[in-house]
Amino acid sequence: MAIKERMSGNEAVAYAMRQVRPDVMGAFPITPSTEIPQYFSKYIADGKVDTDFVAVESEHSAMSVCIGAAAAGARAITATSSAGLAFMWELLYVAASSRLPITMAVVNRALTGPININNDHSDSMGCRDAGWIQIYAEDNQEVYDNYLQAMPISEYCRIPIMICQDGFITSHAVQNIELLDDDTVADFVGEYQPEHYLLNAKEPLAVGPYGVSPYYMEIKKGQAEAMKAAGTRILEVAEAFEKISGRKYGFFEAYRMEDAETAVVVIGSTAGTGKAAVDQLRAAGKKVGLIKVRVFRPFPMKELAAALSHVKAVAVMDKSEGFSACGGPLFAETRSALYDLENRPKAINYVYGLGGRDVTIDTFEEIFDELAHIAETGEVGEVYRHIGVREQEAVK
């Protein structure tokens, strides 16, 4: 039975955490994710969930707690943002290579420096190749729904998972949300029954051993194959979730793309503004569309290419600077996905919204105007662009 409520994104994550009943949470506060362990610790204090809450001295230690707990066969969770995620960097690779199904709520925030506490995706995009599944949300409902799907995905694939939302934009904003009842969630998530774990006396094993040369590459290939296979599991879990919630999820959402001649590709809450811009431009007779990427790791290369195969021009929007001198991370992945198409759309990249810079409908209209020009003339011009930047002298 659905429960209608009003919650912030952080409250929604903590509520979902209570419903999935983890065994251990390792946590250290950092804005804007601090509220998640605060809300969740109150559930523990009030006796609403039986979880060992380990308050540690750093985010590095928080992930260490999760690794130890998961290796012992427990369901382990944490939450972090920005520099906190960066402080876990070393251990992200340990968790992934040890194939430990840890669930981490990431509240995206700009990565220092300069110091900034507002939203962009530089933190999670910085660790995009650490071997973690990454799923992003547009709004509070999607944050909640993604978190409920996390453990059935992660535990089946034996890959740790990040459930990401935009700091302050969704984490602190209150929206109407539809919750599932506790019993429905419990049945959906199920009991965790690890196949291999340290506390199993019948099967002695080591977790995180030294990877000597004759074995290291095989371990990495195993991780890569598991990540490729994770796409199938993500869709299976989404299909099962639709049956209990009525809400449909996939690798991405294609918005008004059926006959679109130009399109933007974007991640996160910015998609809401983009959809409003698409609606306005459609009302003016312009054939525009939008794709909101939900699953960034594993990257849905073939599916995204198919969805963009009929457009003439596409703008990929990155809320993270790649410092590659040729574009941001989402652009690199999307342009690679388009490469094998017989008739590739012209593609450009916009880095936007860094450090919480505002993005408006006007921003999207400017982008779609440029795409219309590219579609008409075939002239792409500068591929790697920034938008929303104050006028300043060129820095060389």
Side-chain angles (χ1 to χ4, degrees):
M1 179 176 166
I3 304 163
K4 296 188 182 298
E5 186 57 89
R6 289 183 295 274
M7 284 186 171
S8 69
N10 281 347
E11 286 180 287
V13 168
Y15 194 90
M17 286 177 170
R18 181 191 63 76
Q19 291 185 305
V20 300
R21 300 175 301 178
D23 299 303
V24 176
M25 182 179 201
F28 187 84
I30 184 169
T31 302
S33 68
T34 301
E35 287 183 330
I36 295 175
Q38 283 180 332
Y39 286 125
F40 187 67
S41 63
K42 189 174 190 306
Y43 285 134
I44 297 172
D46 291 344
K48 294 182 178 180
V49 62
D50 183 19
T51 301
D52 287 327
F53 187 95
V54 186
V56 293
E57 77 283 359
S58 73
E59 293 86 356
H60 187 282
S61 297
M63 183 52 60
S64 296
V65 165
C66 290
I67 288 172
R75 271 183 170 154
I77 64 169
T78 189
T80 195
S81 300
S82 184
L85 181 58
F87 199 17
M88 295 178 178
W89 229 256
E90 171 194 13
L91 295 172
L92 297 181
Y93 288 84
V94 174
S97 63
S98 299
R99 305 293 298 275
L100 300 174
I102 297 163
T103 301
M104 174 160 58
V106 175
V107 184
N108 289 114
R109 168 189 146 185
L111 200 58
T112 303
I115 294 172
N116 182 294
I117 66 165
N118 298 307
N119 170 249
D120 65 33
H121 297 156
S122 55
D123 49 4
S124 58
M125 285 297 170
C127 60
R128 62 189 177 275
D129 296 330
W132 287 59
I133 294 169
Q134 290 193 358
I135 300 181
Y136 291 78
E138 175 186 343
D139 55 29
N140 298 13
Q141 183 70 65
E142 200 165 322
V143 172
Y144 172 76
D145 293 349
N146 286 347
Y147 199 92
L148 294 184
Q149 294 174 64
M151 287 179 182
I153 295 169
S154 176
E155 291 169 1
Y156 181 89
C157 301
R158 289 171 50 220
I159 302 174
I161 188 167
M162 297 181 191
I163 300 300
C164 305
Q165 64 167 315
D166 285 351
F168 295 110
I169 299 172
T170 62
S171 67
H172 286 63
V174 176
Q175 295 180 342
N176 292 330
I177 187 172
E178 191 172 277
L179 305 168
L180 299 177
D181 65 81
D182 292 353
D183 290 340
T184 299
V185 172
D187 289 342
F188 176 74
V189 175
E191 294 292 333
Y192 180 40
Q193 297 179 334
E195 185 177 358
H196 307 287
Y197 55 99
L198 288 174
L199 296 184
N200 183 1
K202 297 179 181 178
E203 184 191 34
L205 59 84
V207 176
Y210 178 58
V212 295
S213 297
Y215 298 100
Y216 183 89
M217 190 165 179
E218 286 71 21
I219 293 170
K220 291 300 171 186
K221 184 176 185 295
Q223 285 181 255
E225 293 298 325
M227 186 64 80
K228 286 193 287 185
T232 300
R233 180 59 178 174
I234 289 169
L235 295 182
E236 290 173 349
V237 171
E239 184 178 358
F241 186 78
E242 183 181 3
K243 292 177 181 178
I244 64 170
S245 68
R247 295 185 287 275
K248 185 178 182 63
Y249 291 100
F251 295 134
F252 52 81
E253 177 188 354
Y255 187 74
R256 307 195 75 167
M257 284 293 296
E258 294 81 2
D259 62 343
E261 295 179 353
T262 61
V264 296
V265 178
V266 68
I267 285 178
S269 62
T270 307
T273 306
K275 290 175 184 176
V278 167
D279 289 342
Q280 285 193 18
L281 292 170
R282 281 280 180 171
K286 298 182 181 180
K287 293 182 177 180
V288 300
L290 176 145
I291 289 181
K292 177 192 72 182
V293 174
R294 172 178 175 253
V295 179
F296 186 74
R297 284 289 183 270
F299 193 76
M301 183 172 71
K302 293 180 180 179
E303 295 82 1
L304 185 58
L308 292 169
S309 61
H310 64 284
V311 304
K312 297 176 181 178
V314 57
V316 183
M317 298 177 65
D318 271 288
K319 211 171 190 180
S320 174
E321 178 55 75
F323 299 118
S324 65
C326 56
L330 181 59
F331 178 66
E333 302 283 3
T334 304
R335 203 182 198 193
S336 174
L338 298 176
Y339 181 79
D340 290 328
L341 290 177
E342 185 173 344
N343 297 305
R344 292 191 296 271
K346 304 290 185 181
I348 56 174
N349 182 213
Y350 283 99
V351 175
Y352 77 99
L354 302 183
R357 184 63 55 93
D358 284 341
V359 181
T360 66
I361 290 176
D362 290 342
T363 308
F364 279 91
E365 289 181 344
E366 182 180 342
I367 291 171
F368 277 117
D369 283 345
E370 183 59 25
L371 288 175
H373 174 75
I374 293 170
E376 181 179 353
T377 65
E379 299 175 359
V380 173
E382 183 68 37
V383 171
Y384 172 33
R385 311 174 181 204
H386 292 73
I387 194 166
V389 181
R390 292 182 297 107
E391 292 184 7
Q392 57 184 347
E393 293 183 7
V395 178
K396 298 181 179 178

